[in-house]
Amino acid sequence: MEGNSTNLDAAIESLLNVEKQMRLAGDVAGTRKAAIDIVELCYKAGAWKTLNDQIVVLSKRRGQLKQAITAMVQKAMEYIDLTPDMDTRIELIKTLSSVSAGKIYVEIERARLIKRLAKIKEEQGQIDEAADLMQEVAVETFGSMAKTEKIAFILEQVRLCLDRQDYVRAQILSRKISPRVFDADPSKEKKKPKEGDNIVQEAPAEIPSLLELKRIYYELMIRYYSHNNDYLEICRCYKSIYEIPSIKEDPSKWIPVLRKICWYLVLAPHDPMQSSLLNATLEDKNLSEIPNFRLLLKQLVTMEVIQWTSLWEFFKDEYANEKNFLGGALGDKAAEDLKLRIIEHNILVVSKYYSRITLKRLADLLCLSLQEAEKHLSDMVNSKSLIAKIDRPMGVVCFRTAQDSNGILNSWAANLEKLLDLVEKSCHQIHKETMIHKAVLCLAFYGQILQSQDVKLFSAQASPVCFGNSCVNDLKYCSADALVLNMI
């Protein structure tokens, strides 16, 4: 054994001298070959500790060439799976990761090493350590790493954060991936890199395809949104999975996904996005394969009051069967939320048909007590799903239709126009009364002047002059009082 160790040390010493000569001469190929030969020699001799030591020594040599370090790290990575035990494997991975730390030309190799080390830690049950290791690497800044490998690495970071229930960090990491990246056409011819651009390496064979990564991404987002019971976002995630060609072509895959879409559409609070998705799902021809769920969505679209007891009796078995499908059971919280959504649907239906309704009648329609009906109505008003006012002393609810900004502006403009018309009419009436008052004052003034003398009325052509019902054909005399009265 000592003889083998002595021979190994002598061979390594000889190769180190060759490596030094090549390095000082600037011979890239020779330096790379000498470094690789040292690594291979240690592996063939089974000297794993010596291998780790020589990797560190070669990386710290003065003026060591980048190409030599890269070749040495890549060669040593091939021997990771050939180590005799787990401790030796972990030690080799740690040595290679420490050597490649801070060196941009081996950043991809370091990321792969950290990923393998994190996987080992996870298998040993050390989830927190595995997550911390993965978070040290920011692969989104690696220009030479393949896009699919970047996405797979970030998804692994998100998964470990979810496993350790670190939902805040999981959300931050998930935002590094844009959903639009999954819509890219993988068959599209890649552009040739321009001069000066980084050469993108090919992704390893174990990295899934882009569409498979899309499915993994949305499954992880479903886990995240399930923590917050964000039913609408969960539904949108299932909708994206449903659109994957490999899922849509196999009925055994898309039927469970479509069932989940229907359930989470019903569980989601009523808003424009939920209504749009609901109508789009109803138009899907595949929904005819699961007629019970088509009936469920049809009831929500129809403006009719739904009886909760009969609905639950009909769909209770379907609800229980979800544990056998993709995503598992919906849980007791979802059952409570389902009842709440049916109550909200019934309140919206009542608001469409009634402008005023008593609380007692509303409670009867909802099959609830007065306190429960008032509570659910108040919650909907607070969430701005409905516009209503409750007169509690009278026990009356008044509903109003919600207006958008255009409707409010049109109503304001119409009211303003009516107001201006009233102002104009008032001004006209005031002006008319003022003119009549002035005319009366003038006539009274002239009446006083003409009080003492008679006014002679005549016509140049002897035409009759009429005062009321009496006419004077010729020259006549009339008193001033009669003239004033007839002029008025």
Side-chain angles (χ1 to χ4, degrees), residues 11 48 91 94 123 170-171 192 203 219 223 237 248 286 290 300 330 352 375-376 403 418 473 482-483:
W48 297 102
E91 190 64 30
K94 287 183 176 179
E123 291 173 353
Q171 183 189 24
K192 294 182 179 180
E219 286 178 354
R223 287 182 57 188
C237 291
K248 212 164 188 178
N286 291 335
I290 43 177
L300 285 179
L330 298 176
K352 296 292 184 182
K375 176 183 177 299
H376 289 299
Q403 284 187 329
K418 290 180 181 178
N473 293 321
L483 176 61

Side-chain angles (χ1 to χ4, degrees), residues 227-249:
H227 170 68
N228 300 324
N229 291 323
D230 194 342
Y231 297 123
L232 184 59
E233 291 299 329
I234 295 174
C235 174
R236 294 179 65 186
C237 291
Y238 274 114
K239 191 78 172 174
S240 299
I241 295 175
Y242 178 71
E243 297 297 331
I244 298 175
S246 60
I247 300 293
K248 212 164 188 178
E249 292 171 358

Side-chain angles (χ1 to χ4, degrees), residues 55-202:
I55 290 173
V56 174
V57 168
L58 287 170
S59 65
K60 289 184 177 180
R61 286 206 153 188
R62 181 183 177 185
Q64 186 59 273
L65 301 177
K66 298 178 181 179
Q67 295 85 345
I69 295 178
T70 303
M72 177 183 64
V73 171
Q74 290 175 350
K75 189 65 179 179
M77 286 177 65
E78 297 176 4
Y79 302 140
I80 291 176
D81 294 331
L82 304 176
T83 50
D85 52 48
M86 186 58 68
D87 292 336
T88 306
R89 181 176 301 178
I90 293 175
E91 190 64 30
L92 179 57
I93 292 175
K94 287 183 176 179
T95 301
L96 291 173
S97 62
S98 63
V99 165
S100 57
K103 297 178 177 64
I104 196 170
Y105 47 88
V106 284
E107 60 185 4
I108 296 179
E109 285 77 9
R110 183 172 185 273
R112 293 170 181 170
L113 288 166
I114 293 295
K115 187 176 181 181
R116 297 189 70 168
L117 183 58
K119 186 177 181 181
I120 293 173
K121 294 290 185 182
E122 184 184 6
E123 291 173 353
Q124 294 176 348
Q126 302 173 3
I127 303 296
D128 292 343
E129 293 185 15
D132 292 337
L133 281 171
M134 291 291 287
Q135 289 167 21
E136 292 177 0
V137 185
V139 293
E140 63 273 10
T141 62
F142 295 178
S144 56
M145 181 179 278
K147 180 172 65 175
T148 53
E149 189 174 2
K150 283 184 187 179
I151 296 172
F153 195 95
I154 296 173
L155 290 179
E156 191 69 13
Q157 291 176 325
V158 174
R159 184 185 66 80
L160 289 171
C161 287
L162 291 175
D163 288 344
R164 72 188 294 193
Q165 297 182 352
D166 188 356
Y167 295 101
V168 175
R169 196 175 296 277
Q171 183 189 24
I172 294 172
L173 291 170
S174 67
R175 288 179 177 174
K176 294 181 179 180
I177 302 175
S178 174
R180 290 179 294 180
V181 75
F182 300 115
D183 298 330
D185 188 3
S187 62
K188 191 175 181 181
E189 185 179 358
K190 296 181 180 179
K191 296 181 179 178
K192 294 182 179 180
K194 297 180 181 178
E195 187 177 355
D197 290 349
N198 292 327
I199 299 175
V200 179
Q201 297 185 11
E202 292 291 333

Side-chain angles (χ1 to χ4, degrees), residues 446-466:
Y446 285 112
Q448 291 178 359
I449 294 176
L450 299 174
Q451 188 78 30
S452 59
Q453 62 181 353
D454 293 330
V455 179
K456 185 177 180 181
L457 298 176
F458 62 92
S459 174
Q461 298 178 358
S463 59
V465 179
C466 296

Side-chain angles (χ1 to χ4, degrees), residues 170-344:
Q171 183 189 24
I172 294 172
L173 291 170
S174 67
R175 288 179 177 174
K176 294 181 179 180
I177 302 175
S178 174
R180 290 179 294 180
V181 75
F182 300 115
D183 298 330
D185 188 3
S187 62
K188 191 175 181 181
E189 185 179 358
K190 296 181 180 179
K191 296 181 179 178
K192 294 182 179 180
K194 297 180 181 178
E195 187 177 355
D197 290 349
N198 292 327
I199 299 175
V200 179
Q201 297 185 11
E202 292 291 333
E206 66 270 12
I207 299 298
S209 64
L210 195 61
L211 292 176
E212 185 65 19
L213 290 172
K214 178 180 180 180
R215 182 187 62 80
I216 296 172
Y217 168 77
Y218 283 111
E219 286 178 354
L220 291 175
M221 295 313 297
I222 288 169
R223 287 182 57 188
Y224 169 73
Y225 290 123
S226 297
H227 170 68
N228 300 324
N229 291 323
D230 194 342
Y231 297 123
L232 184 59
E233 291 299 329
I234 295 174
C235 174
R236 294 179 65 186
C237 291
Y238 274 114
K239 191 78 172 174
S240 299
I241 295 175
Y242 178 71
E243 297 297 331
I244 298 175
S246 60
I247 300 293
K248 212 164 188 178
E249 292 171 358
D250 189 357
S252 62
K253 293 181 179 179
W254 63 255
I255 286 179
V257 176
L258 191 56
R259 287 170 64 98
K260 282 293 192 292
I261 291 173
C262 295
W263 277 121
Y264 285 111
L265 269 177
V266 177
L267 289 169
H270 179 78
D271 63 3
M273 177 64 74
Q274 185 261 358
S275 179
S276 175
L277 284 174
L278 185 60
N279 289 299
T281 306
L282 272 173
E283 295 176 358
D284 193 345
K285 295 180 180 179
N286 291 335
L287 200 61
S288 59
E289 298 292 330
I290 43 177
N292 288 343
F293 288 89
R294 184 179 184 84
L295 177 62
L296 176 63
L297 298 185
K298 200 72 176 175
Q299 284 183 311
L300 285 179
V301 174
T302 307
M303 284 290 106
E304 294 181 0
V305 174
I306 301 174
Q307 295 296 326
W308 163 248
T309 53
S310 59
L311 179 77
W312 181 244
E313 286 296 327
F314 187 78
F315 287 99
K316 184 166 60 175
D317 295 337
E318 294 284 358
Y319 186 88
N321 286 336
E322 285 301 316
K323 63 183 180 183
N324 301 322
F325 291 96
L326 176 71
L330 298 176
D332 297 333
K333 178 69 168 58
E336 297 174 3
D337 290 336
L338 179 61
K339 182 178 180 180
L340 179 61
R341 297 298 171 257
I342 298 302
I343 293 173
E344 291 177 353

Side-chain angles (χ1 to χ4, degrees), residues 406-426:
N406 292 330
I408 295 173
L409 286 174
N410 291 336
S411 176
W412 179 81
N415 293 335
L416 188 61
E417 186 177 356
K418 290 180 181 178
L419 176 63
L420 293 176
D421 288 341
L422 289 175
V423 170
E424 185 178 359
K425 289 180 180 179
S426 300

